[in-house]
Amino acid sequence: MNLKIKWNWGTGIAIFLGLFILSLIAFILFTLTIKYDLVESNYYDKDLKYQEQIDKSKRFALLKEKPKIQTKNGFIFIDFPKSYKSDGLKGDILFYRPSDKNLDFKVKIDIANDTIQVIDISKKAKGIWILKFNWTMKDTAYYFEEEILNN
């Protein structure tokens, strides 16, 4: 029995459609394996409070003295102005990892002994982190974000 495929335009279209369908199935299977995280799990509630966040950011922008942030050898050095200590600074820093919400963690702002807070991030995942500062001084709330690279 001699099976020879007759090559004509109909055969070409059938092969093209077959390859197209196979590549479409492969693409769909690939996209199902990609992990994605929502930025916030309860984003609707946060959206309603967003004006509060804007007001805190505006107040921060009006401050004369702002914290200085440096990364060096797996440590973050946050230098708060000395006036913050006397103004009763209280708050926290959220270390937000855009690529994986399971790596997020919070650190309390602690300038009781010194105005420089040192945070060890050497054992944390390498890459981009967003530091979200949220604090109060003299019963006034402030907020700002700073992007750092942990390498």
Side-chain angles (χ1 to χ4, degrees), residues 47-129:
D47 187 46
L48 294 175
K49 296 180 181 178
Y50 193 63
Q51 185 59 45
E52 217 175 280
Q53 195 81 345
I54 292 171
D55 294 340
K56 288 186 206 179
S57 295
K58 284 181 181 177
R59 282 192 293 270
F60 173 77
L62 295 174
L63 287 173
K64 292 177 185 166
E65 297 179 294
K66 296 181 171 79
K68 295 176 182 75
I69 302 168
Q70 292 181 337
T71 56
K72 193 181 218 181
N73 300 329
F75 289 92
I76 297 176
F77 298 91
I78 306 167
D79 186 7
F80 291 97
K82 295 195 186 324
S83 62
Y84 285 24
K85 188 173 182 178
S86 61
D87 290 342
L89 172 70
K90 290 180 185 166
D92 54 42
I93 307 164
L94 172 66
F95 282 73
Y96 172 72
R97 178 71 177 199
S99 62
D100 188 358
K101 70 178 179 181
N102 296 321
L103 298 176
D104 295 357
F105 66 97
K106 269 188 183 179
V107 174
K108 289 270 185 215
I109 295 175
D110 181 20
I111 58 171
N113 300 327
D114 193 8
T115 58
I116 297 177
Q117 183 166 356
V118 180
I119 302 168
D120 182 8
I121 58 167
S122 61
K123 293 183 176 51
K124 301 297 180 186
K126 305 295 182 201
I128 295 175
W129 289 85

Side-chain angles (χ1 to χ4, degrees), residues 37-50 94 101 132:
D37 291 325
L38 290 174
V39 174
E40 296 286 345
S41 56
N42 54 349
Y43 64 91
Y44 184 72
D45 294 334
K46 297 232 179 205
D47 187 46
L48 294 175
K49 296 180 181 178
Y50 193 63
L94 172 66
K101 70 178 179 181
K132 297 183 177 188

